[in-house]
Amino acid sequence: MTTVATGSMTLIDVTDAKQLIAFIGSSQQRQVIYNPNGGSYTPNYSSSNNVLTPQLYIAGTNANMADKAKSIKWFYQTNSSGNFTEITASDTNYTLGTTAPKTLTIKGNVLASANSMTYMCEVVYTDPDTGFDVTTKAEYEIIKVTNGSNGAAGQDALRAVVWTPDGNVTRNSNGTVKATVDVYKGASKVTPTAFKWYIQDPAATTSSGGDADGGAGWRLLTSTSSAGVTGYTTDTIIIPASAIPSVEAFKCVATYNNVKYNDVCTVVDVSDPYVVTIVGTNTFKNGQGTTTLMAKVFQAGAEVDAAGTAFTYKWSLYDANNVKNTTWSKTGKTITVTAEDISVRGNVTCDIDKA
């Protein structure tokens, strides 16, 4: 059977109202390299602003509705804080857009006193059919990597960063997405000697479809298994919409000085015939309890297969390092996940096939 759509969830509460999908696009990469020798940042948001742009879609459609939102609010959360703080006005660090779709421009080095920062965009959209306001949220995290923090004493940090400089969304099953990998030594970009690219595939193992560098759950892109992706032996790949059933993840393993570094990016086609949304709560307390997850399938903005008989549902679990748990698998429209299944953080995916 051929997979017709895939959904994923980082173990989000949603409601049964009209299904909205929100994303945050960015003009700069998420990782900021800090070099304490001179106090430099790469990229330096003060001179190369990071513009965050909200994107809003009704499941199964290809029109970005962000400019038609009733309201858009921006919030931030530092790594040491448990609460989000609303950004209500422009200041030395931020510029709030005044016209739709109300972007947020980060124009200061906001990670000077934090290792990470999470931004949340809250979008309220009025359903023209019902007149009801529907609220959806999207999050975007930036991370600071300090020179020397990932290496031995006195050595620079080395890190790979995979990102999509032109955005991570294709529309109407047309177009392409470009993904590229940058490897940094401290705050300086270095040139790897080899590149391997992988597509997330729950069926791939290290001996069948994948390899030890990619790990279980990642299929190596080759001349016979490229899915139409080009450039898979270079630092940049071009991903056609045909390789994105709905949501797809790609990993790059880059080799520098005989050491391998990797990172992952996610790309989306917002207008495929089917969109899978995983409904349920995503937190456990004190390593106890269970949560029930349901895969909802949408086509042209309306839910289909509410009875769970038109498709087969196959579930997989990835850990915080994007490595597949090869001993865990479930089937069915609705599943139960226990706290014991998750070690700190996990990512659940659901593939659907025609029954």
Side-chain angles (χ1 to χ4, degrees), residues 43-78:
N44 186 339
Y45 289 165
S46 296
S47 56
S48 301
N49 298 163
N50 193 357
V51 181
L52 306 186
T53 303
Q55 303 172 21
L56 180 69
Y57 299 90
I58 299 173
T61 68
N62 65 344
N64 185 354
M65 309 295 289
D67 61 345
K68 297 177 175 58
K70 179 178 180 179
S71 67
I72 294 176
K73 295 180 180 180
W74 288 94
F75 302 80
Y76 71 91
Q77 177 194 65
T78 63

Side-chain angles (χ1 to χ4, degrees), residues 187-202:
S188 301
K189 190 185 297 185
V190 296
T191 303
T193 55
F195 304 90
K196 289 182 179 181
W197 288 88
Y198 304 79
I199 187 171
Q200 193 172 46
D201 180 355

Side-chain angles (χ1 to χ4, degrees), residues 89-111:
S90 299
D91 56 23
T92 55
N93 286 324
Y94 305 109
T95 296
L96 280 171
T98 57
T99 59
K102 295 188 177 179
T103 59
L104 176 68
T105 300
I106 308 174
K107 58 183 182 181
N109 289 315
V110 294
L111 294 179

